[in-house]
Amino acid sequence: MGYSIRFRKRFMPRSFADLSAMVFMLLAIPSVYWFEVYVVGPTIYNRTLNILHVIVGTYMVINIIGNFMAVIAVDTSTQGLVLPSQVPPGWHVCANCESTAPPRSRHCITCNACVMKKEHHCIFTGCCVGLGNHRYFYIFLFLMWGSTLYCSFLNSFFIWPYVGGFNMWAFVRLVLPGVWLLLEPSLDTLYAFLFSINVIGFLFMSVLMYYYTGLLIMNMTTHENNHRKGQKYDHGREHNIKVTLGERWYWTWVFPTLSSPLPYDGLDWSLQSGEKSVRPKTK
């Protein structure tokens, strides 16, 4: 049996830190979109290329926000599921939930629930990334990485006249955009601030992409990687990709609403060949 999507009943973050990070993302994404489409594009491109720039940019921001909201909406916890009263092989008892918990699940103190194939608690979405929404998280990450790379490159041709040309003082202004914006609030400093947000975002996303791509192709979570427990779920790159992105992984990049069934339901997991399986699936 594959995974059946369930939706969370509570969308709002449970902590102030999560709420602040989520609000920042919901403000930053449309702000950067406005900057690239209405300010940078018309300055850099001719009319034809700018139209293409607007079309692609609009598609990307809709796709990014769609995947971001899907991470928040999809319930990855074991709450509401019928769980066995006895502890099956490979399962464990969660003292916080006072219930049995399936393999690869871990309890999240912030969400106050056990999360199936828990990857981590994401502060920017205010919820955990697990089996059901890992696809949306990874594609959101990939699209953000690609977008910030493109925007950083494009903006480098745009920003220098606004910061006084290519010199050390301009570099300092771009490295400390928030301070400059507070000391000299103006449209120029706002442009410089948005430029720096893109560059910082690209560097941050590059590190995350490198790390989470490595885990994805090995079918491991952060916890399993840190404790060297994930190798037993490695069934080869193609299978491992499907565990996160689904059977139709090649379509998941197009739009978050496209269906891509996951091969596991989060309760049963097959192990590597030669090892004992955890409640093997029946086709």
Side-chain angles (χ1 to χ4, degrees):
M1 181 185 297
Y3 179 82
S4 298
I5 291 182
R6 297 174 295 121
F7 295 100
R8 298 172 62 200
K9 297 179 180 179
R10 176 193 174 102
F11 292 162
M12 292 299 295
R14 296 174 179 268
S15 72
F16 178 76
D18 286 5
L19 178 62
S20 301
M22 179 189 289
V23 170
F24 170 78
M25 290 299 295
L26 292 176
L27 291 176
I29 293 173
S31 297
V32 171
Y33 168 77
W34 165 83
F35 178 57
E36 303 300 334
V37 168
Y38 292 101
V39 179
V40 178
T43 304
I44 301 297
Y45 292 131
N46 59 36
R47 186 173 184 275
T48 302
L49 288 177
N50 188 50
I51 291 174
L52 180 62
H53 172 73
V54 171
I55 293 173
V56 174
T58 302
Y59 164 74
M60 289 293 288
V61 77
I62 292 174
N63 206 350
I64 286 172
I65 294 176
N67 279 284
F68 182 80
M69 298 308 297
V71 175
I72 298 172
V74 174
D75 188 358
T76 61
S77 72
T78 60
Q79 293 179 342
L81 298 178
V82 178
L83 303 175
S85 56
Q86 297 182 339
V87 186
W91 288 49
H92 61 278
V93 176
C94 176
N96 299 90
C97 294
E98 298 182 346
S99 173
T100 55
R104 311 192 75 181
S105 67
R106 288 174 49 237
H107 188 84
C108 176
I109 298 176
T110 304
C111 294
N112 192 31
C114 279
V115 178
M116 292 186 292
K117 187 177 167 279
K118 180 183 176 182
E119 167 49 48
H120 65 280
H121 181 87
C122 178
I123 187 174
F124 293 103
T125 59
C127 64
C128 279
V129 175
L131 179 66
N133 62 3
H134 197 169
R135 156 196 168 179
Y136 307 108
F137 169 78
Y138 184 79
I139 295 176
F140 166 78
L141 199 63
F142 176 81
L143 294 177
M144 285 289 289
W145 174 78
S147 297
T148 53
L149 171 61
Y150 166 74
C151 292
S152 297
F153 176 77
L154 183 66
N155 294 348
S156 64
F157 296 96
F158 168 84
I159 196 62
W160 296 113
Y162 292 92
V163 294
F166 189 79
N167 53 60
M168 184 58 68
W169 177 237
F171 178 76
V172 172
R173 287 176 166 182
L174 295 176
V175 171
L176 302 172
V179 176
W180 187 28
L181 186 61
L182 292 175
L183 296 177
E184 298 180 29
S186 67
L187 200 58
D188 293 356
T189 55
L190 175 61
Y191 291 165
F193 178 76
L194 293 174
F195 169 81
S196 298
I197 288 294
N198 267 307
V199 174
I200 294 170
F202 166 68
L203 296 175
F204 181 60
M205 294 296 167
S206 296
V207 174
L208 295 183
M209 275 298 300
Y210 175 80
Y211 179 74
Y212 287 117
T213 299
L215 294 182
L216 184 148
I217 61 178
M218 294 295 291
N219 190 15
M220 286 194 295
T221 65
T222 297
H223 178 80
E224 292 167 350
N225 181 52
N226 292 341
H227 292 80
R228 303 184 183 277
K229 295 181 179 180
Q231 292 85 351
K232 60 183 178 180
Y233 299 111
D234 182 6
H235 290 273
R237 182 171 299 181
E238 182 178 356
H239 175 273
N240 296 343
I241 290 174
K242 291 180 179 179
V243 171
T244 296
L245 302 182
E247 299 288 349
R248 303 172 67 203
W249 60 269
Y250 41 84
W251 284 114
T252 56
W253 312 93
V254 179
F255 211 68
T257 55
L258 294 179
S259 174
S260 182
L262 297 176
Y264 295 98
D265 60 7
L267 302 180
D268 300 310
W269 294 93
S270 61
L271 306 181
Q272 282 182 342
S273 300
E275 295 187 40
K276 184 178 179 180
S277 295
V278 180
R279 297 176 60 187
K281 295 181 178 302
T282 56
K283 299 289 186 181

